[in-house]
Amino acid sequence: MSGNTLGHLFRVTTFGESHGPAIGCVIDGCPPGLPLSEADIQPELDRRRPGTSRHVTQRQEADRVEILSGVYQGVSTGTPIALLIRNTDQRSKDYGNLHETFRPGHADYTYWHKYGVRDPRGGGRSSARLTAPIVAAGAVARHWLAAQHGVRLRGCVTAIGTHELAMDDWSQVHANPFFAATAQGLDAVEAYMDGVRKAGDSVGATVYVEAGGVPVGLGEPVFDKLDADIAHAMMGLNAVKGVEIGSGFASARQMGSEHGDELTPQGFASNHAGGVLGGIASGQDVTVRIAIKPTSSIRIPRRSIDLHGQPAEVVTHGRHDPCVGLRAVPIAEALLALVLMDHALRHRAQCAGVWVPTPDIARG
Amino acid sequence: MSGNTLGHLFRVTTFGESHGPAIGCVIDGCPPGLPLSEADIQPELDRRRPGTSRHVTQRQEADRVEILSGVYQGVSTGTPIALLIRNTDQRSKDYGNLHETFRPGHADYTYWHKYGVRDPRGGGRSSARLTAPIVAAGAVARHWLAAQHGVRLRGCVTAIGTHELAMDDWSQVHANPFFAATAQGLDAVEAYMDGVRKAGDSVGATVYVEAGGVPVGLGEPVFDKLDADIAHAMMGLNAVKGVEIGSGFASARQMGSEHGDELTPQGFASNHAGGVLGGIASGQDVTVRIAIKPTSSIRIPRRSIDLHGQPAEVVTHGRHDPCVGLRAVPIAEALLALVLMDHALRHRAQCAGVWVPTPDIARG
Amino acid sequence: MSGNTLGHLFRVTTFGESHGPAIGCVIDGCPPGLPLSEADIQPELDRRRPGTSRHVTQRQEADRVEILSGVYQGVSTGTPIALLIRNTDQRSKDYGNLHETFRPGHADYTYWHKYGVRDPRGGGRSSARLTAPIVAAGAVARHWLAAQHGVRLRGCVTAIGTHELAMDDWSQVHANPFFAATAQGLDAVEAYMDGVRKAGDSVGATVYVEAGGVPVGLGEPVFDKLDADIAHAMMGLNAVKGVEIGSGFASARQMGSEHGDELTPQGFASNHAGGVLGGIASGQDVTVRIAIKPTSSIRIPRRSIDLHGQPAEVVTHGRHDPCVGLRAVPIAEALLALVLMDHALRHRAQCAGVWVPTPDIARG
Amino acid sequence: MSGNTLGHLFRVTTFGESHGPAIGCVIDGCPPGLPLSEADIQPELDRRRPGTSRHVTQRQEADRVEILSGVYQGVSTGTPIALLIRNTDQRSKDYGNLHETFRPGHADYTYWHKYGVRDPRGGGRSSARLTAPIVAAGAVARHWLAAQHGVRLRGCVTAIGTHELAMDDWSQVHANPFFAATAQGLDAVEAYMDGVRKAGDSVGATVYVEAGGVPVGLGEPVFDKLDADIAHAMMGLNAVKGVEIGSGFASARQMGSEHGDELTPQGFASNHAGGVLGGIASGQDVTVRIAIKPTSSIRIPRRSIDLHGQPAEVVTHGRHDPCVGLRAVPIAEALLALVLMDHALRHRAQCAGVWVPTPDIARG
């Protein structure tokens, strides 16, 4: 139960460290017969890839994925799909001085206490680089979800530090380096980000993801509710400190007569629930918002201790994202896809064949 | 994988419906030798019990717990601990009219679509009544955590609707009906709550829970991080729509030079992390905040549909909490205890015997 | 991972001790809509019940099962089904002297070393009494398997000590106290068993169980093969020391040209495989044979040690089965049903909708 | 729950097909600090390697293992250990004709019905080649078991077809091509095997494995007994049709006064139990015997059907083991190591710190 597997029926086990020879994952439980090749996965990895603008880490990784198993003649066979990504641009010397101390806000201190041994190069296992296999696995899941249920996923950055970003034009998301679903105010954000980077500092962000076309019924009471499993996946993403479903924290200030989404034959009248009622998908859009803390590795000197508990100063010189929140969008989408995929299989395991006379109003 | 079990090594499986003959749980994996009797569990149940003030549901349930197994001569034997609570005050006729329609904001609609059959009496399986076995199991966990590691858990309500509650006097928590850690402004809250109740409406709340004395090292990368598992447990609690760890959503507006908690030989200089770094406990207090939506069952008429998809009006007459957030405090503490307990066992499974020369600065 | 749960999707968690207040189980994952009442379960418990002839233990237990949850208006709701059986005929004084010593061949010694505490009354958790909840859960599984897939299960005793029993007339199984599928040679067996009992000794047995109508395709590579999970379930049954599938140990002496079952358009030409090829059901009868050791609790004095490691003599006076193998038949059937049920759900989770042009030759 | 993972705390997930680009596994849960390199794993793989004598398959695979993650500076870090073995000697054309038909006794028919798609080259996922990653993972487990608990594992072939092999000289096991723990009668076996091979037929075998030094206490009631999990692992090994613990099927013919191993201050007086009592290790040698069926792929023509259900004749020309039982010895040892390793971690998760005054008599 060492925690490196996500999902119960669509199970993704990742492996690898930032500066080891390779990273990757094994997907167990993929239904057979899904058309699949590297070309279905690579585009998602490319969206997450480092080095694509000056606002993200300058590490250059091709992140080429190789399918090692589970696919024969272009379709999944139902056996484990192993995905391999070789590391190519490790600059471990950047981390030489980190062997002896701990970065504030970083997993250095806790990994050391937990395991008594750690790979400090690039954060080792705790590196955000380990989200690449998650994105790869998520590509398989969203491929199946789209084919089987017409599920559509998308996401965007809604705030960078104190800069709020509108969500008024989804066509813009890939037209700017900030994953912003708007064309408004990006110049200000660009200047702001340049300032953060030049100061050697970093900044937080909020990210929004949603899934449309989710079949009513996905999710399990009492503990493995759909929203509970989404919260688990999202809070497990590096640097995430908060998760909201639907109206989220705003719900706490609402009255019941305002929050509860009314039902009509034409559909739900609102979506405060974020597509989940009692832990089970209602058929409305599943909406999620996450808070991402600023990157821990910064060039501004910070107080810390060394391996012997003595005071030390830490300055991180490696190549880091000044705002890890930016590249979180494709990862959060992938995580949402993985949770939905797992619940799609869980649901049909127990409830295949269930039929009710009530129309699914969310499908219109 | 039907989702009714929480935990991997300290496993709690609950059963029961609001108006069935009994509710309860089976705890599998409790270490042997823990002194345990009903008297260790009952006080926690009493804190959660309905009917204790006019601000909560008037259903009268003694919630007497019976230990059916796993304890011999006053200590746990290491075998499953089954806990049984008989239901005694069901008034199912209150729900007669709900057979034919769906309450807005409630699991009625989704259970129906998922299972094709549902027990509408008191919400059946989706009732908040099912948190009683969670509290009972949590009592066992906190008992062990206190004895083994000196872990201390506490919680309070920090906002009711738009009323913020200070957190300035923990001795007050059980001295008022609002689980408020303050003596300030309670008259206003009382009047506010009376107004909500008389209007037949309900209101949301936020709850804060923390655990002190958590051993450094608990938590697993990459997916089952301590905070990820806390988020899973909390978001799985009825009516929760948001979860924050440490600075939570405020982190998104912070700079790295502000957020990252500096380390000194005397301890961490701040706790923005909320006691978790890289998914692993740092030894600082684990701090969690959750948002709880207003109760779905209200007396104000709402639009809905019936089993055939036709328009219908819903008014709920049963006995309900006007603010489910109030009674959420002991439940959230119990969930936090269950997650910590599970991770304590997971940690020693893999890492028993690990020793490092670095002092645990959080322990002082 | 304390081991008290069987199954992944149809999950049975048992609880209780031989002389505690109650035993029972929680079934999580049962599909909704299955007609179910105590009357569907009780007959299976009655087949396993003690005290029915002089050849089994004289303990009198009504073994009345109560459904606590998961069933509403006569059908399963998809939520956990909790089953409770109160213990009524504990005679714990029979075990007074066993607090201080260990019975040869019994779990006394190992439980003591594992847990440091044990409930010695009637064997506590290790008692064969704990097979009652397994039989109860198995009744639910076989009920669904019969309704959904037409699966038929049956079993019999094929040897008692050195007495081999023919398998030539299945109508006899419930017409004699030995679960023998024959009317031949029962007088000799009866005399033999009387001798064993009067001598205060016990004797082993072999049991055969089979399932017909199992859908082709059930079972998972590589580790959770159908036969692997059957072996797990059967070897976990008290006193079992060996498990065979199909030709079993006889396969080791066969040639490939003899063992491999040929396929014809009219069906398989033989069934050496026991209905499983590569871990996956072929559609032929799944056939299993298990070896059951003689009861450990006997009246003949045996050498042992006490809690301090000093020599001691042990004589067991409680009420025990002289041949536990007899009552193993309904239990082994129940275990086979539970494994098949779990795999039926696992299969449809991953492979629902798979279609091949090749006829299923085992169905004829 | 697609079944490609073994273990709960020491989890091994394998991937790959016989003729795909690579096979391998991910080990999650290995304790940190274990000295480990490829040199600790390769020797075990070499013992299992094909092409080492004329009595095994002539396929030439170097089976070079590469550690991709989880090891830093020569010790395990506690993060997942990924092991990769590239396939190098695929001759897929040998299998061309098998696309259209099913080999008797082989998984061809069942994979096809289960998944609707299959990789027929070399048996695809069902190939015995997939035992290589198991052996590699087992090497890690036995390495830890030896270092931590002094556990010693060994195994041998005890029968080939109708030829029984004595177990009188363990030094011989690696001195002959039959994994025989004897120097007696090997000429006859050699001649016998030559005959089988020349006839284009195959033959079954029995294999014995044992583990010494197993700590008392390993194993979990009620379902995941140590022997149950051993049976699961062994029956999951390709071609295994029977599993015995201790006296196995002979127990069924014994009396209780013979079978139950007496305890003395100097140790157990016998080991009919095979080192497991009530599912928990007694500290005696854990002894296991398995029956392995003859290889399904033979050159003798057999009746079968084609993909359309029409009669067909099958002759297998690929390179196959005339007796798969031979190479099963290192695999069975590996599986036993994996089960013991998993239970060692499970035991300390729940029972770390348990102490009893009773001496462990099995340790002498």
Side-chain angles (χ1 to χ4, degrees):
Chain A
M1 281 302 136
S2 205
N4 295 287
T5 297
L6 186 72
H8 293 272
L9 295 187
F10 189 85
R11 299 174 70 77
V12 178
T13 303
T14 76
F15 63 86
E17 286 84 37
S18 179
H19 289 219
I23 58 177
C25 67
V26 180
I27 303 168
D28 195 17
C30 186
L34 179 71
L36 194 68
S37 74
E38 279 92 349
D40 295 303
I41 300 171
Q42 196 62 50
E44 289 299 315
L45 280 170
D46 292 345
R47 291 175 66 210
R48 191 216 72 102
R49 201 157 57 81
T52 52
S53 87
R54 70 179 184 277
H55 303 294
V56 297
T57 173
Q58 295 306 300
R59 180 169 173 172
Q60 294 294 333
E61 286 287 356
D63 281 352
R64 302 305 302 180
V65 66
E66 181 187 6
I67 298 176
L68 294 179
S69 63
V71 176
Y72 179 64
Q73 295 184 331
V75 299
S76 66
T77 59
T79 61
I81 300 171
L83 302 177
L84 188 73
I85 300 168
R86 290 275 172 185
N87 288 324
T88 57
D89 184 27
Q90 308 100 311
R91 286 212 326 234
S92 303
K93 66 179 159 54
D94 287 349
Y95 302 91
N97 62 321
L98 295 177
H99 282 72
E100 291 296 318
T101 185
F102 306 107
R103 279 167 289 179
H106 200 279
D108 291 338
Y109 177 81
T110 51
Y111 267 66
W112 172 244
H113 274 274
K114 181 176 188 70
Y115 296 118
V117 53
R118 67 189 169 111
D119 175 355
R121 302 166 304 162
R125 181 71 181 153
S126 71
S127 169
R129 177 147 183 73
L130 268 303
T131 57
I134 294 172
V135 169
V140 179
R142 69 195 297 167
H143 196 45
W144 186 87
L145 287 166
Q148 190 77 14
H149 294 293
V151 172
R152 307 168 302 277
L153 293 129
R154 63 184 182 180
C156 64
V157 171
T158 53
I160 295 176
T162 51
H163 284 255
E164 302 279 333
L165 289 161
M167 202 159 69
D168 54 18
D169 184 356
W170 281 95
S171 72
Q172 297 293 321
V173 172
H174 295 109
N176 63 73
F178 305 113
F179 287 89
T182 185
Q184 313 291 321
L186 297 185
D187 289 349
V189 171
E190 195 143 7
Y192 176 72
M193 282 295 294
D194 284 340
V196 168
R197 193 178 67 254
K198 283 166 189 167
D201 211 339
S202 63
V203 69
T206 55
V207 164
Y208 169 83
V209 283
E210 70 174 27
V214 176
V216 61
L218 302 198
E220 303 290 337
V222 171
F223 295 114
D224 292 350
K225 289 172 171 144
L226 183 61
D227 40 356
D229 278 2
I230 290 171
H232 170 258
M234 296 294 170
M235 195 68 94
L237 173 52
N238 306 45
V240 171
K241 302 303 288 182
V243 181
E244 295 181 314
I245 305 291
S247 296
F249 276 88
S251 311
R253 293 185 295 276
Q254 293 174 324
M255 308 300 288
S257 53
E258 173 189 5
H259 179 90
D261 305 309
E262 293 187 304
L263 297 83
T264 78
Q266 291 73 42
F268 287 92
S270 55
N271 189 12
H272 294 293
V276 186
L277 289 169
I280 299 171
S282 66
Q284 286 197 283
D285 288 354
V286 174
T287 63
V288 186
R289 212 166 64 99
I290 58 177
I292 298 168
K293 72 175 188 181
T295 317
S296 307
S297 299
I298 57 177
R299 283 185 286 116
I300 294 175
R302 316 249 25 232
R303 282 184 296 165
S304 185
I305 58 170
D306 67 17
L307 293 189
H308 311 290
Q310 297 306 307
E313 190 188 76
V314 173
V315 176
T316 313
H317 290 297
R319 300 158 297 177
H320 297 284
D321 290 279
C323 177
V324 277
L326 301 190
R327 294 202 289 139
V329 172
I331 309 167
E333 291 175 32
L335 287 165
L336 185 54
L338 291 172
V339 173
L340 292 172
M341 177 84 207
D342 192 42
H343 276 283
L345 300 187
R346 290 168 81 166
H347 180 64
R348 76 181 188 184
Q350 188 182 12
C351 298
V354 164
W355 182 86
V356 293
T358 314
D360 174 356
I361 59 173
R363 293 281 173 150
Chain B
M1 283 301 138
S2 203
N4 295 288
T5 297
L6 185 73
H8 294 273
L9 295 186
F10 190 85
R11 299 173 68 77
V12 178
T13 303
T14 75
F15 63 84
E17 286 84 37
S18 180
H19 288 219
I23 59 178
C25 67
V26 180
I27 304 168
D28 195 16
C30 185
L34 179 71
L36 194 68
S37 74
E38 279 91 349
D40 295 304
I41 300 170
Q42 195 63 49
E44 289 300 314
L45 280 171
D46 292 344
R47 290 174 67 210
R48 193 214 72 101
R49 201 156 58 81
T52 52
S53 86
R54 71 178 183 278
H55 303 295
V56 297
T57 172
Q58 296 306 300
R59 178 169 172 173
Q60 295 294 333
E61 285 286 356
D63 279 352
R64 302 304 303 179
V65 65
E66 181 187 8
I67 299 176
L68 293 180
S69 64
V71 176
Y72 179 63
Q73 296 183 333
V75 299
S76 66
T77 59
T79 59
I81 300 172
L83 303 178
L84 188 73
I85 300 168
R86 290 277 172 183
N87 288 325
T88 56
D89 184 30
Q90 308 98 311
R91 286 213 324 235
S92 303
K93 65 180 161 49
D94 288 348
Y95 302 91
N97 61 320
L98 296 177
H99 281 72
E100 290 296 318
T101 185
F102 306 108
R103 280 166 289 180
H106 200 279
D108 291 337
Y109 177 80
T110 52
Y111 267 65
W112 172 243
H113 273 274
K114 181 176 188 68
Y115 296 117
V117 54
R118 68 187 169 112
D119 175 355
R121 302 167 303 162
R125 181 71 182 153
S126 72
S127 168
R129 177 147 183 74
L130 268 303
T131 57
I134 293 172
V135 168
V140 178
R142 68 195 298 167
H143 195 45
W144 186 88
L145 287 165
Q148 189 78 10
H149 293 294
V151 172
R152 304 169 304 279
L153 294 130
R154 61 183 183 180
C156 63
V157 171
T158 53
I160 295 177
T162 52
H163 284 253
E164 300 280 332
L165 287 161
M167 202 160 68
D168 54 19
D169 184 357
W170 281 96
S171 71
Q172 297 295 321
V173 172
H174 296 109
N176 62 71
F178 305 112
F179 288 88
T182 187
Q184 311 293 321
L186 298 185
D187 289 349
V189 171
E190 195 143 8
Y192 176 71
M193 283 295 294
D194 284 340
V196 168
R197 195 178 66 253
K198 283 167 189 166
D201 211 339
S202 63
V203 70
T206 56
V207 163
Y208 169 83
V209 283
E210 70 175 26
V214 176
V216 60
L218 302 197
E220 305 290 337
V222 173
F223 295 114
D224 292 349
K225 290 175 169 141
L226 184 61
D227 40 356
D229 279 2
I230 291 171
H232 170 259
M234 296 295 169
M235 196 68 93
L237 173 52
N238 305 46
V240 171
K241 300 304 288 181
V243 181
E244 295 181 315
I245 305 291
S247 296
F249 275 87
S251 312
R253 293 184 296 275
Q254 293 175 323
M255 309 299 289
S257 53
E258 173 191 5
H259 179 89
D261 305 308
E262 293 187 304
L263 297 82
T264 79
Q266 291 73 42
F268 288 92
S270 54
N271 189 13
H272 292 294
V276 187
L277 288 168
I280 299 171
S282 66
Q284 287 197 281
D285 288 354
V286 173
T287 61
V288 186
R289 212 164 65 98
I290 57 177
I292 298 167
K293 72 175 188 181
T295 316
S296 306
S297 299
I298 56 177
R299 282 185 288 116
I300 294 175
R302 316 247 27 228
R303 280 184 297 164
S304 186
I305 56 168
D306 66 18
L307 293 189
H308 310 291
Q310 297 307 308
E313 189 187 77
V314 173
V315 175
T316 314
H317 290 296
R319 300 158 296 178
H320 297 283
D321 290 278
C323 177
V324 278
L326 301 191
R327 294 202 290 140
V329 172
I331 309 167
E333 292 175 32
L335 287 165
L336 185 53
L338 291 172
V339 173
L340 292 171
M341 177 84 207
D342 191 43
H343 275 283
L345 301 186
R346 290 169 81 165
H347 179 63
R348 77 182 190 183
Q350 189 182 12
C351 297
V354 164
W355 180 87
V356 293
T358 314
D360 174 357
I361 58 173
R363 291 282 174 151
Chain C
M1 283 301 139
S2 205
N4 295 288
T5 297
L6 185 72
H8 294 272
L9 295 186
F10 190 85
R11 299 174 69 77
V12 179
T13 304
T14 75
F15 63 86
E17 287 84 37
S18 179
H19 288 219
I23 58 178
C25 66
V26 179
I27 303 168
D28 196 17
C30 185
L34 179 70
L36 194 67
S37 72
E38 280 91 348
D40 295 304
I41 301 171
Q42 195 62 50
E44 288 300 314
L45 281 170
D46 292 346
R47 290 174 66 210
R48 193 215 73 101
R49 201 156 58 81
T52 51
S53 86
R54 71 179 184 275
H55 303 295
V56 296
T57 173
Q58 295 306 298
R59 179 169 174 173
Q60 294 295 332
E61 287 286 356
D63 281 351
R64 301 306 301 181
V65 65
E66 180 187 8
I67 298 176
L68 293 180
S69 64
V71 176
Y72 180 63
Q73 296 184 330
V75 299
S76 65
T77 60
T79 61
I81 300 171
L83 303 177
L84 188 73
I85 300 168
R86 291 276 172 184
N87 288 324
T88 56
D89 185 29
Q90 308 99 311
R91 285 212 326 233
S92 302
K93 67 179 159 49
D94 287 349
Y95 301 92
N97 61 319
L98 294 178
H99 280 73
E100 291 296 318
T101 186
F102 306 108
R103 280 166 288 180
H106 200 277
D108 291 339
Y109 176 81
T110 52
Y111 267 65
W112 173 242
H113 273 273
K114 181 177 188 67
Y115 297 117
V117 53
R118 68 188 169 110
D119 174 355
R121 301 166 303 162
R125 181 72 180 153
S126 71
S127 168
R129 176 145 185 74
L130 268 304
T131 57
I134 294 171
V135 168
V140 178
R142 69 195 300 168
H143 195 45
W144 186 88
L145 287 165
Q148 189 77 10
H149 293 294
V151 173
R152 306 168 303 277
L153 294 129
R154 61 183 184 180
C156 64
V157 171
T158 53
I160 296 176
T162 51
H163 284 255
E164 302 279 333
L165 288 160
M167 202 159 68
D168 54 19
D169 184 357
W170 281 95
S171 71
Q172 297 295 321
V173 173
H174 295 110
N176 63 72
F178 305 112
F179 287 87
T182 185
Q184 311 293 321
L186 296 185
D187 289 350
V189 171
E190 196 145 7
Y192 176 71
M193 282 295 294
D194 284 340
V196 168
R197 195 176 67 252
K198 282 167 189 165
D201 212 338
S202 63
V203 70
T206 55
V207 163
Y208 170 83
V209 283
E210 70 175 26
V214 176
V216 60
L218 302 198
E220 304 290 336
V222 174
F223 295 115
D224 292 350
K225 289 173 170 143
L226 183 62
D227 40 355
D229 279 3
I230 291 171
H232 170 259
M234 296 294 170
M235 196 68 94
L237 172 53
N238 305 45
V240 170
K241 302 303 289 181
V243 181
E244 295 181 314
I245 305 290
S247 296
F249 276 87
S251 312
R253 293 184 295 276
Q254 293 175 324
M255 309 300 288
S257 53
E258 174 190 4
H259 179 89
D261 305 308
E262 293 187 304
L263 297 82
T264 78
Q266 292 73 43
F268 289 93
S270 53
N271 188 12
H272 294 294
V276 187
L277 288 169
I280 299 171
S282 67
Q284 286 197 283
D285 288 353
V286 173
T287 63
V288 186
R289 211 166 64 99
I290 58 177
I292 298 167
K293 72 176 188 181
T295 316
S296 307
S297 299
I298 55 177
R299 292 200 322 274
I300 294 175
R302 316 251 20 231
R303 282 184 297 164
S304 185
I305 58 169
D306 66 19
L307 293 189
H308 310 290
Q310 298 306 307
E313 189 187 79
V314 172
V315 176
T316 313
H317 290 298
R319 300 159 297 178
H320 297 283
D321 290 279
C323 177
V324 277
L326 301 191
R327 292 202 290 141
V329 172
I331 309 168
E333 291 175 33
L335 287 165
L336 185 53
L338 291 172
V339 172
L340 292 171
M341 177 84 207
D342 191 44
H343 276 282
L345 300 187
R346 291 169 80 166
H347 180 64
R348 76 181 189 183
Q350 188 181 14
C351 299
V354 164
W355 181 87
V356 293
T358 315
D360 174 357
I361 59 173
R363 292 280 173 151
Chain D
M1 282 305 136
S2 202
N4 294 287
T5 298
L6 186 71
H8 293 273
L9 296 186
F10 190 86
R11 297 173 71 78
V12 178
T13 304
T14 76
F15 63 85
E17 287 84 39
S18 180
H19 288 218
I23 58 177
C25 66
V26 180
I27 303 169
D28 195 16
C30 185
L34 179 71
L36 193 67
S37 73
E38 279 90 350
D40 295 305
I41 300 170
Q42 196 63 50
E44 290 298 316
L45 280 171
D46 292 345
R47 292 174 66 209
R48 191 216 74 100
R49 201 157 57 79
T52 52
S53 86
R54 71 179 184 277
H55 303 295
V56 297
T57 172
Q58 294 307 298
R59 179 169 173 172
Q60 294 295 332
E61 286 286 355
D63 280 351
R64 303 305 302 180
V65 66
E66 180 187 6
I67 298 177
L68 293 180
S69 64
V71 176
Y72 179 63
Q73 296 183 332
V75 299
S76 66
T77 60
T79 60
I81 300 171
L83 303 177
L84 188 72
I85 300 168
R86 290 275 173 186
N87 289 324
T88 58
D89 185 29
Q90 308 100 310
R91 285 210 331 232
S92 304
K93 64 179 161 52
D94 287 349
Y95 302 92
N97 61 320
L98 296 178
H99 282 70
E100 291 295 318
T101 184
F102 306 108
R103 280 166 288 180
H106 200 277
D108 291 338
Y109 176 81
T110 53
Y111 267 64
W112 173 243
H113 273 273
K114 181 177 188 68
Y115 296 118
V117 52
R118 68 189 170 110
D119 175 355
R121 302 165 305 162
R125 181 72 182 153
S126 72
S127 168
R129 178 147 183 72
L130 268 303
T131 57
I134 294 172
V135 168
V140 178
R142 68 194 299 167
H143 195 44
W144 186 88
L145 287 166
Q148 188 78 12
H149 293 294
V151 172
R152 306 168 303 277
L153 293 129
R154 61 183 183 180
C156 64
V157 170
T158 53
I160 296 176
T162 52
H163 284 254
E164 302 278 334
L165 287 161
M167 201 159 68
D168 54 20
D169 184 357
W170 280 95
S171 71
Q172 297 295 320
V173 172
H174 295 109
N176 63 72
F178 306 113
F179 288 88
T182 185
Q184 312 293 321
L186 298 184
D187 288 350
V189 171
E190 196 143 8
Y192 176 72
M193 282 295 293
D194 284 339
V196 168
R197 194 177 66 253
K198 283 167 190 165
D201 211 338
S202 63
V203 70
T206 55
V207 163
Y208 169 84
V209 283
E210 70 176 24
V214 176
V216 61
L218 302 197
E220 304 290 336
V222 173
F223 295 114
D224 291 350
K225 289 175 171 142
L226 183 61
D227 40 356
D229 278 3
I230 291 171
H232 170 259
M234 297 293 170
M235 194 69 92
L237 173 53
N238 306 45
V240 170
K241 302 302 288 182
V243 182
E244 294 181 315
I245 305 291
S247 297
F249 276 88
S251 311
R253 293 185 296 275
Q254 293 174 324
M255 309 299 289
S257 52
E258 174 190 5
H259 180 88
D261 305 308
E262 293 187 304
L263 298 82
T264 79
Q266 291 73 44
F268 287 92
S270 55
N271 188 13
H272 293 293
V276 186
L277 288 169
I280 299 171
S282 67
Q284 288 197 283
D285 289 353
V286 173
T287 62
V288 186
R289 213 164 65 98
I290 57 177
I292 298 167
K293 72 175 187 180
T295 317
S296 306
S297 298
I298 56 178
R299 294 199 320 275
I300 295 174
R302 316 245 30 227
R303 281 184 297 164
S304 185
I305 58 170
D306 66 18
L307 294 189
H308 311 289
Q310 297 306 307
E313 189 188 78
V314 173
V315 176
T316 314
H317 290 296
R319 302 157 297 177
H320 297 283
D321 289 279
C323 176
V324 279
L326 300 191
R327 294 202 290 141
V329 171
I331 310 167
E333 291 174 33
L335 286 165
L336 185 53
L338 291 172
V339 173
L340 292 171
M341 177 83 207
D342 191 43
H343 275 283
L345 300 187
R346 291 169 79 166
H347 180 63
R348 77 182 189 183
Q350 188 182 13
C351 298
V354 164
W355 181 87
V356 293
T358 314
D360 174 356
I361 59 174
R363 292 281 173 151

